[in-house]
Amino acid sequence: MPDVTVTRRLMFNAAHRVHNPALSDAENLRLFGKCNNVNWHGHNYTLDVSVRGPIDERTGYVMDLGALKALVTARVIDQADHRNFNVDVPFMQGIIPTSENIIVAIWRELEPVVRPGRLVRLVLWETPNNYVEYSGE
Amino acid sequence: MPDVTVTRRLMFNAAHRVHNPALSDAENLRLFGKCNNVNWHGHNYTLDVSVRGPIDERTGYVMDLGALKALVTARVIDQADHRNFNVDVPFMQGIIPTSENIIVAIWRELEPVVRPGRLVRLVLWETPNNYVEYSGE
Amino acid sequence: MPDVTVTRRLMFNAAHRVHNPALSDAENLRLFGKCNNVNWHGHNYTLDVSVRGPIDERTGYVMDLGALKALVTARVIDQADHRNFNVDVPFMQGIIPTSENIIVAIWRELEPVVRPGRLVRLVLWETPNNYVEYSGE
Amino acid sequence: MPDVTVTRRLMFNAAHRVHNPALSDAENLRLFGKCNNVNWHGHNYTLDVSVRGPIDERTGYVMDLGALKALVTARVIDQADHRNFNVDVPFMQGIIPTSENIIVAIWRELEPVVRPGRLVRLVLWETPNNYVEYSGE
Amino acid sequence: MPDVTVTRRLMFNAAHRVHNPALSDAENLRLFGKCNNVNWHGHNYTLDVSVRGPIDERTGYVMDLGALKALVTARVIDQADHRNFNVDVPFMQGIIPTSENIIVAIWRELEPVVRPGRLVRLVLWETPNNYVEYSGE
Amino acid sequence: MPDVTVTRRLMFNAAHRVHNPALSDAENLRLFGKCNNVNWHGHNYTLDVSVRGPIDERTGYVMDLGALKALVTARVIDQADHRNFNVDVPFMQGIIPTSENIIVAIWRELEPVVRPGRLVRLVLWETPNNYVEYSGE
């Protein structure tokens, strides 16, 4: 059977502050500028979750996208939506919440549990003008 | 000369919490649900600023959109971008930061100073699925 | 209090066929072309529901958009989503399912029940290149 | 019958230079900045043409959008697409090609010929961040 | 010469029903839920066709995108647009019309005839929130 | 550290004419059609610049996207925005300004200077319906 990649897009809103607690306030401000604002700021994040595998002859699906949505909602969206990445989100404890670190943490949440098919790519849009991609490498 | 409406779209990111300090925590939670999250959440806001007036025969413009962008940036974007609406933004002090209240406050910042042409409409998108409009009435 | 318009966007998918049963097949084909295809075709519809009213001082809301979403979902989306407008949708019985007729029927479903605030505008996108608007007139 | 507004969106690409030949080069540069570049620049324009009228009971249409598309294509798109607004476009001869002037000129091309229904609004996007509207006033 | 990938996006509207005729109605309903609706539903599909190859020094093109559009229109869009995937579309006869199966069938239509350059990727959006990709593997 | 790809999107507007001066006017018209219009046409170009590398533990960044934006603005946007690709743009001298050739020229401008991380992909949208990709091969 052909190998197809299927993607489900989900959105969530969160606050964050780009801040490394191991550095001084002055160094944080120099490195992160307005993204370091002490009272936080936030984004409407868009997450594309891509799963690859052979088409199941019985269903015509690589994976039921309703099941994928439910899985990502439970593991990621319910943890992060309307929350603060620095304070509230279990899978981000102790990690600077840049998009790069968020996407790797989401990968670690999802990769072991996405079945059938395998997680092959995440894309996370922080704004309409910047996004990050990760494929587990 | 014909009366044309010109619009400039700008974006900014901010944190907020929908919370009425005059009410109990339980009442706030009941009214606002996850939007009341104590550690904030945030959005990529999109703001459309519309100005109407006759076309200036010499320039072919109702208003120079570069000048409009500079004005909105100074009065609104620089105050709100990468900030927290409940804590950091001067024109929102003491106001519950719903989209409805934010757009009325932005109107009050911009209406007296937009010239030539008159401010006729603001549209504020909080997410790709909800937005508010205000025309000063 | 200022009068603000708030909008909630929702999406649904449906099949339809533009066909007037009072006319001959030849006349239907001449009038509607490929939109008359006997085995149906379909669209991802996008619906913007706009409600206007004064801001409630206690909540900062014109209307709770979660409540609006629930109302539109029950009255419109649950009836039309993944259905056939010519066959399955109660509020379209006996009506040619053009976007114009669909939006008027949705207005009649929603206008009496949207509270607080009053329904002031519906916009229905049939494709990214065409949409209809209705304000109850 | 209810009065509904129907809109057809069309796109075209064109070059232009914002320049008033009655003014000096220095004055043009001062007024228009980079938009005055002597060797032109260009845009992907998006045009929304809105027509309002009662729904025809026989068709369920205000107006056949295929007929509207054909009309706008013949009168506007075929004149402007892949052309230069300052040099090539008959309906812009002697007019500074700002979006404001373009939309009024398009209105004058379309208003007398759009039938049935009446032309009620044009929206012209010059970039994803600015657009103009005209309603014939 | 450098190897560049060029993509042409096209849209079409179609009805379908996710249904495996080899299974019982109850099993179909269990597997496919509302996507199994007996009277069909439909979508605005967006198809991105990507072709890769060296740049032709004489034209600066990998492939004339007008020619690519004509080819995809003849082989795919004219077969599927305003049609029913389960009933009307020759290249989908006997195949469950999931996005996965549709994209593989489109690949088989296009891969042998796209020249110059080689077909390297198809992306098919079923809704703004889900899409599938296929590269012939 | 994980290898993540980060992308910054930027926009610019430019005029161009697809024309090979080594060929006759008749041959140019035959090959390029309306894209060969002697008085130019233009586009709103969208450029996605993607950089890959390990996450810097101190910042959580692969690369500061503000620095990437500044670099692309200086090397590409300031050269091409509100300009004519055939006449004004230094890095396109003597090159037919198709999207394919433009993206390869942009790659050659950016690849040697993007640090830290390495440039891994450019995507250039000429219109909402066509785009090109290049990865340096």
Side-chain angles (χ1 to χ4, degrees), chain F residues 87-107:
Chain F
V87 181
D88 294 327
V89 181
F91 62 73
M92 289 299 293
Q93 294 310 302
I95 303 171
I96 307 172
T98 58
S99 294
E100 288 92 326
N101 281 335
I102 295 170
I103 204 171
V104 171
I106 293 176
W107 181 276

Side-chain angles (χ1 to χ4, degrees), chain B residues 121-123 125 131-135, chain C residues 4-9 47-52 68 72 103 106-107 110-111 114 117-125 131-137, chain D residues 5 52 121 133:
Chain B
R121 188 183 61 224
L122 295 175
V123 182
W125 292 78
Y131 59 91
V132 297
E133 295 165 76
Y134 186 55
S135 297
Chain C
V4 174
T5 302
V6 299
T7 298
R8 187 63 168 78
R9 174 168 287 184
L47 175 68
D48 282 8
V49 180
S50 296
V51 176
R52 183 167 173 168
L68 181 60
V72 179
I103 203 172
I106 292 175
W107 181 275
L110 293 179
E111 195 279 331
V114 169
R118 65 180 190 286
L119 188 66
V120 292
R121 187 183 63 225
L122 296 175
V123 182
L124 182 68
W125 293 77
Y131 59 92
V132 298
E133 296 165 75
Y134 186 56
S135 295
E137 289 147 29
Chain D
T5 301
R52 182 168 173 169
R121 187 183 63 225
E133 295 166 76

Side-chain angles (χ1 to χ4, degrees), chain E residues 5 7 9 52 58 60 121, chain F residues 20 27 98 131 133 137:
Chain E
T5 302
T7 298
R9 173 168 289 184
R52 182 167 173 169
R58 194 156 166 267
R121 187 183 63 223
Chain F
N20 182 345
E27 186 63 3
T98 58
Y131 60 91
E133 295 165 77
E137 289 147 28

Side-chain angles (χ1 to χ4, degrees), chain D residues 34-85:
Chain D
K34 62 185 180 180
C35 299
N36 186 243
N37 181 46
V38 67
N39 292 317
W40 327 98
H41 64 284
H43 298 288
N44 301 330
Y45 289 91
T46 298
L47 175 68
D48 282 8
V49 179
S50 296
V51 176
R52 182 168 173 169
I55 301 175
D56 180 325
E57 213 164 339
R58 193 155 166 270
T59 61
Y61 289 157
V62 168
M63 178 181 181
D64 180 334
L65 285 184
L68 180 59
K69 179 188 175 185
L71 186 66
V72 179
T73 299
R75 299 276 175 150
V76 177
I77 308 300
D78 286 349
Q79 314 305 313
D81 187 37
H82 284 77
R83 301 285 174 84
N84 183 314
F85 267 123

Side-chain angles (χ1 to χ4, degrees), chain A residues 12 16 34-35 41-47 99 123-132, chain B residues 11-14 43-46 81-82 128, chain F residues 7-11 48 65:
Chain A
F12 61 93
H16 79 153
K34 61 187 180 179
C35 299
H41 64 284
H43 298 287
N44 301 330
Y45 289 91
T46 298
L47 176 68
S99 294
V123 182
L124 182 70
W125 292 78
E126 189 186 67
T127 77
N129 291 321
N130 65 289
Y131 59 91
V132 297
Chain B
M11 300 187 196
F12 60 94
N13 312 315
H43 299 287
N44 301 331
Y45 289 91
T46 298
D81 187 39
H82 285 77
Chain F
T7 298
R8 187 63 168 75
R9 172 168 289 186
L10 297 105
M11 299 187 198
D48 282 8
L65 285 184

Side-chain angles (χ1 to χ4, degrees), chain A residues 31-101:
Chain A
L31 282 173
F32 302 123
K34 61 187 180 179
C35 299
N36 185 243
N37 181 46
V38 68
N39 293 318
W40 327 97
H41 64 284
H43 298 287
N44 301 330
Y45 289 91
T46 298
L47 176 68
D48 283 8
V49 179
S50 296
V51 176
R52 183 168 173 169
I55 301 174
D56 181 324
E57 213 164 338
R58 194 155 165 267
T59 60
Y61 288 157
V62 167
M63 177 181 182
D64 180 335
L65 286 185
L68 180 59
K69 179 187 174 185
L71 186 67
V72 179
T73 299
R75 298 278 175 147
V76 177
I77 307 300
D78 285 350
Q79 314 305 313
D81 187 38
H82 284 78
R83 301 285 175 83
N84 183 315
F85 267 122
N86 302 62
V87 182
D88 295 327
V89 181
F91 61 74
M92 290 299 295
Q93 294 309 303
I95 303 172
I96 307 172
T98 58
S99 294
E100 289 92 326
N101 281 334

Side-chain angles (χ1 to χ4, degrees), chain D:
Chain D
M1 291 301 293
D3 242 32
V4 174
T5 301
V6 299
T7 298
R8 187 63 169 75
R9 173 167 290 184
L10 297 105
M11 299 186 196
F12 61 93
N13 313 315
H16 79 151
R17 177 195 187 195
V18 186
H19 183 80
N20 182 344
L23 305 176
S24 69
D25 285 0
E27 186 64 4
N28 269 293
L29 185 60
R30 194 187 63 80
L31 282 172
F32 302 123
K34 62 185 180 180
C35 299
N36 186 243
N37 181 46
V38 67
N39 292 317
W40 327 98
H41 64 284
H43 298 288
N44 301 330
Y45 289 91
T46 298
L47 175 68
D48 282 8
V49 179
S50 296
V51 176
R52 182 168 173 169
I55 301 175
D56 180 325
E57 213 164 339
R58 193 155 166 270
T59 61
Y61 289 157
V62 168
M63 178 181 181
D64 180 334
L65 285 184
L68 180 59
K69 179 188 175 185
L71 186 66
V72 179
T73 299
R75 299 276 175 150
V76 177
I77 308 300
D78 286 349
Q79 314 305 313
D81 187 37
H82 284 77
R83 301 285 174 84
N84 183 314
F85 267 123
N86 302 63
V87 182
D88 294 327
V89 181
F91 61 74
M92 288 301 292
Q93 294 309 302
I95 303 171
I96 307 172
T98 58
S99 293
E100 290 92 325
N101 281 334
I102 295 170
I103 203 172
V104 171
I106 293 175
W107 180 275
R108 289 171 181 167
E109 289 298 300
L110 293 179
E111 195 277 333
V113 295
V114 167
R115 296 286 178 279
R118 65 180 191 286
L119 188 66
V120 292
R121 187 183 63 225
L122 295 175
V123 182
L124 182 70
W125 293 76
E126 189 185 67
T127 76
N129 290 323
N130 66 290
Y131 60 91
V132 297
E133 295 166 76
Y134 187 55
S135 295
E137 288 147 27

Side-chain angles (χ1 to χ4, degrees), chain E residues 22-34:
Chain E
L23 305 175
S24 70
D25 285 0
E27 185 65 2
N28 270 293
L29 186 60
R30 195 187 63 78
L31 282 172
F32 302 123
K34 61 186 180 179

